[in-house]
Each structure stands twice: as C-alpha cells, then as structure tokens.
Amino acid sequence: MVSDRDNTEIVTYEQRGGVAVVTMNRPKYRNAQNSAMTYALDDAFYRASADNDVKAVVLAGAGEHFSAGHDIGSPDRDADASFDRRAGLWWDHTDKHGMDNRLARESEVYLGMCRRWRELPKPMVAMVQGACIAGGLMLAWCADLIIAADDAFFADPVVRMGIPGVEYFAHPWVLGPRFAKEFLFTGERFAADRALAIGMVNRVVPRAELEAETFGVAEKIAEMPRLGLALTKKAINQAEDLMGMRSGMDAAFGLHHAAHAHNAEVGADSLAGHTAKSMKASADKSS
C-alpha cells in the first residue's frame, strides 16, 4: 500500500464480480499524479491483469474530479524520488541533471507508463467527472472506453509553457488533427458534450448516473471471453499504431523535451515559470 503523508491510501483497488475498480485517491489535490501514484496505479493494473477472474477494469478518480494532471505543486510532489523502473530500461534520473534528468524520468513515469497501461490485456473503462486535464487526459486516453459525467471538462493547457502538448501525445488520433490544433492552440477547456460529438468519449450521462452507467458497460464487457477481449484490444491497438500513433508520439516526445530545454536555457525553469496555481488561473481565464 502506498500512502500520502496523511496516511491516505493513494490508489485503492476493489473487485466487483468480474470488474476490478482502480481509484485514484488524492481528492484534496484533485487527484494530481505524483510518481508514487503512478507506481501504485501500475501495481493495481498488474494485479488486475494477473487475476483470471477479472475481465475488465474501471479507472476512477475519488472526489469531485477525475484528475487535474501531473503533480507540479502538492506537498507530496516527488519528482526527485527514485523508484524501481518498470516501463523501460533507461537509467535512474535522480543523480542526473538537465535534460538527462528530465528525459529519463518522463520516459519512465509519463510516456512509458501510459504506453504500458494502454497494452493492459483487459478492457479498461475510464469513469470521468469534473476536471480531466493534461496528465489526466493521458490516463483517460490509455483507457479503451471513456464514460463521462455531464460536468466533465477536458483541457491540455501546456502550450502556455511553450510545450507542444503532454508527453503521451495522442491528440491527433483521439481528437482528429483539426480539433487537436484548436484544442492545443487555444488552451481552452471543452465540455463533455463536445467530447462526445468528436468521438473522444463513448457516452455522457448525468453525474448522478455516472457510476451505474460505467459499471453497466464494464459488466457487459466482462461477460465476453477473456482471451477474445485481449486479442480484440490488441488488434485495434495495432491498427492505431499502423496509423502512425506510436511513431508520431515518439516524434512529439522529442519536441516536448526540446521545449523544456529551451525554457530552462532562456528562462527561470523548464516550465517557463509556471506553477499549478498559475496554470489553473490561466485555464479559468480562458474558459
């Protein structure tokens, strides 16, 4: 069990019949993802994958919001902490500097982990309410289906930092190229109804019905043969990669780190002086 400093379990796991429920549990910080949460999520997904009785996974966020993104300002921010690497063979980042540090860490905990979770051999349904921003989008986009509450909203505001989108750069594939440009160029939030119209989410329901709708879908999936589900998911993921998703994501990841390096060279830091508070204020102003 991994806990925040107040001894709250950072990710919870439960099983409802053939459905595993993995819940991010930092509601005080709008489920901002620090590294501890990342590895706790990985533990939970591995547990669900290994359990023959689990046919589908629901990914949820406790409280009012699904996830406000990567943790860039909570008291439990742990960017300088070392964890056993699982997503790749890159070296530890903690004794490195500059781009050597950032590339090693983000290759592991951001891009690498999301790619790892996309390949979970069991269908994953994201249950999204409230904020789904930047790193929150990455988690939702790892899922196979997204069920959204009518109060959900989505944003990737990191172009304000001079950075071309989050590390798991799935935007052109999940949004379409033209809307992906609008989304990133403006930094504006968009609501659940527009997410449904462009095909980014599968269903939108009133907030009070979100859990019932999500588990209704997950339970229907869980009636299917486990191997059939795994092979179907793999076939569709492979088709998506043949459309250029993996190679396009690699290219964007390089540009992402060029932007971080540029910020550090010409400004105060690699985030162009932005904090969680300033990013939220900018997003609120533009929405």
Side-chain angles (χ1 to χ4, degrees):
M1 182 182 77
V2 179
S3 302
D4 259 342
R5 62 179 59 206
D6 60 0
N7 289 323
T8 300
E9 192 173 359
I10 205 166
V11 169
T12 65
Y13 184 100
E14 63 175 307
Q15 189 168 337
R16 302 187 190 179
V19 179
V21 188
V22 177
T23 304
M24 295 175 282
N25 193 33
R26 301 186 76 207
K28 181 178 179 181
Y29 302 111
R30 303 201 302 169
N31 294 317
Q33 307 152 35
N34 58 9
S35 292
M37 176 182 277
T38 298
Y39 285 93
L41 283 170
D42 194 62
D43 287 339
F45 294 143
Y46 198 90
R47 177 178 173 182
S49 179
D51 188 338
N52 288 334
D53 292 330
V54 170
K55 297 283 197 66
V57 177
V58 167
L59 174 62
E64 293 300 306
H65 301 283
F66 177 74
S67 176
H70 295 142
D71 187 344
I72 60 173
S74 90
D76 292 295
R77 188 181 185 218
D78 53 10
D80 296 328
S82 181
F83 293 82
D84 290 337
R85 293 169 300 288
R86 302 179 191 173
L89 294 173
W90 211 271
W91 47 72
D92 184 67
H93 70 286
T94 54
D95 60 346
K96 311 300 188 299
H97 303 283
M99 185 180 179
D100 195 1
N101 171 288
R102 184 172 292 274
L103 181 65
R105 180 170 184 268
E106 294 193 358
S107 295
E108 167 73 10
V109 298
Y110 295 159
L111 179 60
M113 282 294 195
C114 284
R115 281 180 165 170
R116 176 177 167 93
W117 300 336
R118 176 178 177 253
E119 298 301 322
L120 177 73
K122 297 179 180 179
M124 188 193 311
V125 184
M127 182 169 68
V128 176
Q129 80 282 5
C132 182
I133 298 174
L137 282 173
M138 291 169 52
L139 290 181
W141 288 347
C142 287
D144 304 292
L145 282 69
I146 302 174
I147 312 296
D150 54 7
D151 68 348
F153 59 92
F154 307 88
D156 184 359
V158 302
V159 176
R160 297 183 190 283
M161 299 176 175
I163 297 168
V166 290
E167 295 84 354
Y168 185 78
F169 191 82
H171 308 62
W173 292 272
V174 299
L175 301 174
R178 205 163 300 280
F179 184 63
K181 290 177 181 178
E182 177 188 340
F183 181 50
L184 289 167
F185 289 171
T186 65
E188 292 177 347
R189 298 173 175 178
F190 67 98
D193 57 351
R194 190 163 190 193
L196 181 65
I198 62 173
M200 195 195 86
V201 305
N202 297 85
R203 304 182 187 187
V204 175
V205 297
R207 175 68 175 269
E209 299 173 16
L210 178 62
E211 184 171 340
E213 183 73 14
T214 302
F215 282 95
V217 172
E219 287 162 1
K220 185 168 288 188
I221 291 170
E223 295 172 1
M224 293 291 195
R226 179 170 48 84
L227 181 59
L229 289 168
L231 296 178
T232 301
K233 175 169 178 172
K234 191 168 188 67
I236 295 172
N237 282 0
Q238 287 173 335
E240 202 170 29
D241 287 340
L242 288 169
M243 297 174 194
M245 183 171 172
R246 188 175 184 89
S247 57
M249 202 174 281
D250 284 338
F253 191 62
L255 297 174
H256 181 100
H257 282 279
H260 275 311
H262 174 77
N263 287 342
E265 186 171 346
V266 304
D269 56 40
S270 63
L271 302 181
H274 277 287
T275 63
K277 185 176 181 179
S278 70
M279 291 294 284
K280 183 178 185 300
S282 296
D284 290 343
K285 185 177 180 181
S286 69
S287 61

